[in-house]
Amino acid sequence: MDTLSYKTISANKATVTKEWVVVDATDQPLGRLGSKVAKLLRGKYKPNFTPHVDCGDNVIIINADKVKLSGNKWTDRVYLSYTGYPGGQREMTPARLITRPNGHDRLMRKVVKGMLPKNKLGAKLPGNMYVYEGSEHKHEAQTPKVIDINALK
């Protein structure tokens, strides 16, 4: 048996092939969309996935304002943050978050960031995600390919 033919190949920054993909968020549930985008950002759908390397794609999310939340989640779900001062715990619901400037972008980033690893790589990966409220984006020069998010597992 030739043991060299079974050698595991680990990707690095030079050998990674990053692509640009467009995801349409129209009528998609927020959590399911977020988990699939997190997998795309990590590179989990690629055969040369390496856990400690940024081998994921650059993801463009369009129509983020048309994302769905079922039930009363717009008002009942609470995101907590802390200012660092005594009594500085703040709560924010998704309905209040989207009324602020860049609200849909902030909501999508909050959801996806919670599904990424809690380390230096996980802090760097959301920089590869671009969120737009309408159907227009400014990344035509990268020739992104449109993918159907429902076809992914």
Side-chain angles (χ1 to χ4, degrees):
M1 178 182 341
D2 184 17
T3 58
L4 291 179
S5 66
Y6 296 104
K7 191 174 272 191
T8 301
I9 298 172
S10 188
N12 59 23
K13 194 182 283 190
T15 62
V16 167
T17 57
K18 294 176 78 67
E19 298 175 349
W20 286 80
V21 295
V22 175
V23 173
D24 190 2
T26 305
D27 294 333
Q28 296 290 329
L30 180 64
R32 290 171 194 245
L33 175 70
S35 65
K36 290 176 183 177
V37 167
K39 279 186 173 182
L40 283 169
L41 287 172
R42 283 261 354 246
K44 288 262 194 161
Y45 292 114
K46 294 188 173 188
N48 62 347
F49 169 70
T50 307
H52 64 279
V53 178
D54 177 12
C55 53
D57 296 331
N58 296 307
V59 180
I60 304 164
I61 301 172
I62 58 173
N63 295 320
D65 53 341
K66 296 178 181 148
V67 76
K68 299 286 184 196
L69 277 176
S70 61
N72 295 328
K73 291 178 190 165
W74 283 112
T75 55
D76 291 351
R77 176 165 288 165
V78 176
Y79 297 122
L80 296 175
S81 62
Y82 183 60
T83 64
Y85 290 97
Q89 183 172 331
R90 304 285 186 254
E91 352 182 288
M92 184 72 70
T93 62
R96 277 187 46 213
L97 186 60
I98 63 170
T99 60
R100 305 181 86 190
N102 295 329
H104 294 284
D105 180 32
R106 289 182 184 192
L107 179 63
M108 188 61 68
R109 287 190 183 278
K110 181 177 269 305
V111 168
V112 171
K113 186 172 171 150
M115 299 180 186
L116 291 173
K118 282 35 171 198
N119 55 22
K120 290 180 184 178
L121 179 62
K124 192 177 107 173
L125 288 176
N128 296 335
M129 181 174 68
Y130 304 90
V131 182
Y132 296 99
E133 292 182 21
S135 60
E136 299 295 319
H137 61 86
K138 59 181 182 180
H139 302 283
E140 291 88 12
Q142 282 77 23
T143 60
K145 76 178 176 181
V146 178
I147 62 169
D148 181 21
I149 200 73
N150 294 326
L152 301 175
K153 275 196 171 182

